[in-house]
Each structure stands twice: as structure tokens, then as C-alpha cells.
Amino acid sequence: ETGVTQSPTHLIKTRGQQVTLRCSSQSGHNTVSWYQQALGQGPQFIFQYYREEENGRGNFPPRFSGLQFPNYSSELNVNALELDDSALYLCASSLGQGFNEQYFGPGTRLTVT
Amino acid sequence: SQQGEEDPQALSIQEGENATMNCSYKTSINNLQWYRQNSGRGLVHLILIRSNEREKHSGRLRVTLDTSKKSSSLLITASRAADTASYFCATDPMNTGFQKLVFGTGTRLLVSP
């Protein structure tokens, strides 16, 4: 177990709705990254937060947004859901901005109908 | 976009045999990491090898890195049924200003008793 937790485990939403996913990082870690994994694919980087600020972003539209809180937990928000947003959403925590291991949570399975 | 490509896409072996998976990538990297994923769940970190390292061992795992060929291999010795999973390589590209992991498409390993 990595100590990274995510909620909820599963979620079903309708196209056009908004969703919030949550992640608690491993104790002592101040960096959280979010990834989207479509079925049969490798995870794709969405963005990263370091000390409550967005630190870097992948090739995802602005309707994907996030927050990091003072306790380093994080939220991923997706607005105007599309069918293609159906995926496993993974968060990973790590220490600092150095080139260290990232430890992943179990993921949230989002289905958009 | 996926940077890495794992080869083979799928591998089926008997318990006790060795399993070798290869990963190729496109850009210069800070490090390369290998992860395991069971049945669409969270990723488990296996090993990190830095760009100035050529080989690393962890238990039954041996990882090599050839930066001139932009390739890496993961060897699992004396495989067990519990090793059945998908294995991903993930690169940390240089010059992004932050740490993001770029995953390959994965190798599905099946170890039969």
C-alpha cells in the first residue's frame, strides 16, 4: 500500500455534468500529479500541483482543473463531461520537485453516459 | 501522447521462467521508472533508474538502461503466478521544468502455474 487514497472508487455521470475527484497524498509528500488512463492505454499526464500551485500541465483542455490544499490533498474537477472522459483517473504523490518516484493511488473509475 | 513503446504487447510464460520486457522512448530523460498494474487498479512502483545508471537490481527484478539507444529492459526472474499483471515503463523527460511521467502502452504478462 502506498498511503495514497482516492475517492470515490467508481462514479457514473451523464454527458454535460461536472465531477470532482479527490486524492489524499502520502504523508510527507507535497506534490500531487493527476493522470487519465483510458481502457487498454497507458496513463496520460493531466497536471501537477506543488505546494498548492499548478506546476505543469499536459495536453488537456481547460475544463480539466484542479486544486491542492494546505495539507497537500488535491481535487480534480472536470466540467462539461464528454463520453471520451470515461477512464480511470489516477493521482500520484511525490516529494518535492526533484526527479523522484511517484506513488499512485488505486484510482477512480469514471463512466460518462 | 505516449512516448514509450513496450515490447512485447503481451507475454505468456510458465511459473519459474524468466520474463523480459523492453521499452523504447523518444526524448532525453532524467530517469525511467517501471510500474505494475493489476486488473485496471492503481500502479505499483517497481524501480527507478536514473539516466546516469546502466543497470539496477531489486529482488527478482533487473532493469537496464541504454540512453544511446533510448531503450530499457525489465527482467523478472523465476516468475510466479502473482506476477501476472500489466507492466509499464514511464519516462521523466528532460527540460520540462517539472516532473511528469510519460507512459508507454504496457506489456500484459500472464504467468501460468
Side-chain angles (χ1 to χ4, degrees), chain A residues 37 48 88 99-102, chain B residues 35 37 40 45 50 99:
Chain A
Q37 185 178 22
Q48 181 180 86
L88 181 68
F99 309 114
N100 299 316
E101 297 89 342
Q102 293 190 8
Chain B
Y35 287 85
Q37 185 176 41
H45 184 268
R50 301 195 187 278
Q99 185 191 33

Side-chain angles (χ1 to χ4, degrees), chain B residues 83-104:
Chain B
D83 295 328
T84 295
S86 291
Y87 291 81
F88 292 91
C89 71
T91 54
D92 182 5
M94 275 186 167
N95 303 321
T96 60
F98 57 94
Q99 185 191 33
K100 76 172 191 181
L101 294 179
V102 182
F103 285 82

Side-chain angles (χ1 to χ4, degrees), chain A residues 4 7 9 15 20-21 25 30 46 53 69 71 76 78 82-83 88 93-94 97 99 102-103 105 107 110 113:
Chain A
V4 180
S7 63
T9 304
R15 190 171 52 184
T20 297
L21 311 181
S25 57
N30 52 16
I46 303 175
E53 302 228 346
F69 300 100
N71 66 354
L76 163 66
V78 187
E82 300 176 1
L83 297 179
L88 181 68
S93 77
S94 55
Q97 291 184 289
F99 309 114
Q102 293 190 8
Y103 294 94
L110 173 65
T113 61

Side-chain angles (χ1 to χ4, degrees), chain A residues 25 29-30 51-53 67-74:
Chain A
S25 57
H29 285 182
N30 52 16
R51 291 187 174 179
E52 302 178 58
E53 302 228 346
L67 281 174
Q68 187 180 32
F69 300 100
N71 66 354
Y72 303 130
S73 66
S74 177

Side-chain angles (χ1 to χ4, degrees), chain A residues 16-34:
Chain A
Q17 287 187 316
Q18 177 265 342
V19 69
T20 297
L21 311 181
R22 295 180 174 82
C23 171
S24 291
S25 57
Q26 185 166 311
S27 177
H29 285 182
N30 52 16
T31 302
V32 173
S33 305
W34 285 91

Side-chain angles (χ1 to χ4, degrees), chain A residues 1 4-13 19-24 34 37 85-91 105-112, chain B residues 37-42:
Chain A
E1 295 297 324
V4 180
T5 60
Q6 291 186 245
S7 63
T9 304
H10 294 91
L11 203 51
I12 300 174
K13 288 285 194 178
V19 69
T20 297
L21 311 181
R22 295 180 174 82
C23 171
S24 291
W34 285 91
Q37 185 178 22
D85 295 333
S86 295
L88 181 68
Y89 288 84
L90 297 159
C91 79
T108 293
R109 173 76 60 188
L110 173 65
T111 302
V112 182
Chain B
Q37 185 176 41
N38 291 84
S39 301
R41 299 287 295 163

